[in-house]
Amino acid sequence: MILLEAMNGIAPSGIRVGCRSIREEDEAFLLPREARSIPSRHPARRRASGAARRVAHGLLAELGLHDIAILRSSAGAPLWPDGITGSLAHDEDMAVAAVAPLSARIGSIGIDVEPAIKLPDDILALVATPDDVTDAVEPSLAGRLLFSAKEAVYKAAYPLDHYMLDYEDIAVDLNAGRAMTKTGRSVRLAYCISPRVVVIAFVGGSGPGGFA
Ligand SMILES: CC(C)(COP(=O)(O)OP(=O)(O)OC[C@H]1O[C@@H](n2cnc3c(N)ncnc32)[C@H](O)[C@@H]1OP(=O)(O)O)[C@@H](O)C(=O)NCCC(=O)NCCS
C-alpha cells in the first residue's frame, strides 16, 4: 500500500506504524473490553476505532504482545500496556496507528491522518498563529499539515502533561520538524503529505525528526 510505504519512510527509528482503509464492519475488530470503553454509539466512529485498533493489535503482535485491549481513558487517550507507548488516528477513510517499546526511548507518540486537500480558510484562521513556520511546505497543503501537526502534538503531549492544549498553545515549525507547547513541552515532528497527510509527533528518541 502506498500510504504504508510513505509512513515507513518517515517513521523515526524505533516507532512502528501501520494503516488500514476503514471498511464496513471494522467495529468487529474491537475486543470486548475495548468496545465497552468506547462511549460513542455512532457507527462510523466505532468502525474507525475498530480499524485503528486492528492496525495497533498487529503492531503489538510484532512486538510479541497478543490479544492486548487498547482501552480509552476518560480523557479519550488510548491506554497502552506496560512498556509501550503509541497513538491512534482516523479520518473518514483511513485509520493509522503508531507504537514504540519504551526500549526505543520514545517518551510519547501522537499520530494524525488527514486527506491531502486544502484546509478551509475559516479553520486555518482558528489553527494558525504568528509563531507557526510553514514556508517549506507546498502552500496548498501547508494549512492542512499545520492542523494535523497540532492534533498530533496534542496527542503526544496529553499523556505526559494532562493539559488540554488549544491550537494557539502550540507553536509549530514545519521547517525544523519541531513544535513547542505552552506548557514547555518540546515535540519532534515527522510527516508526509502524499498520498495523505500523516504527522507523527514524538518526544524523545534518537536522531533527527524526519521529513518527506
Ligand atoms: C484528541 C483529538 C485532538 C482527536 O481528534 P479527532 O479529529 O476527533 O480524532 P482523530 O481520529 O485524529 O484521533 C482519535 C484518536 O485520538 C486519540 N485520543 C483522543 N483523546 C486523546 C488524548 N487526550 N490524548 C491522546 N490521544 C487521544 C484516541 O486514540 C482516538 O482514537 P479512538 O477514538 O479510536 O479511541 C480530539 O478528540 C480532542 O480531544 N480535542 C480536544 C483538544 C483540542 O481539540 N485541542 C485543539 C487541537 S491541539
Side-chain angles (χ1 to χ4, degrees), residues 49 53 72 75-78 88 90 112 151 155 158 165 167:
S49 294
R53 282 170 175 74
R72 266 190 131 211
L88 310 174
H90 18 76
D112 191 54
E151 298 244 324
K155 291 184 200 175
Y158 187 87
L165 296 163
Y167 297 110

Side-chain angles (χ1 to χ4, degrees), residues 103-149:
S103 58
R105 305 180 70 181
I106 302 289
S108 189
I109 304 174
I111 194 167
D112 191 54
V113 60
E114 296 280 329
I117 54 174
K118 186 175 181 288
L119 192 72
D121 289 341
D122 55 336
I123 299 180
L124 181 60
L126 296 173
V127 170
T129 75
D131 293 329
D132 297 320
V133 180
T134 62
D135 47 284
V137 182
E138 181 187 327
S140 65
L141 287 178
R144 178 69 65 176
L145 186 55
L146 182 66
F147 172 78
S148 189

Side-chain angles (χ1 to χ4, degrees), residues 19 27 29 31 33 64 69 74 77-78 80 86 99 102 108 116 134 141 147 152 156 167 200 212:
C19 60
E27 62 274 18
F29 290 122
L31 299 172
R33 292 177 61 222
S74 56
W80 300 94
V99 305
L102 293 186
S108 189
T134 62
L141 287 178
F147 172 78
Y167 297 110
I200 303 167

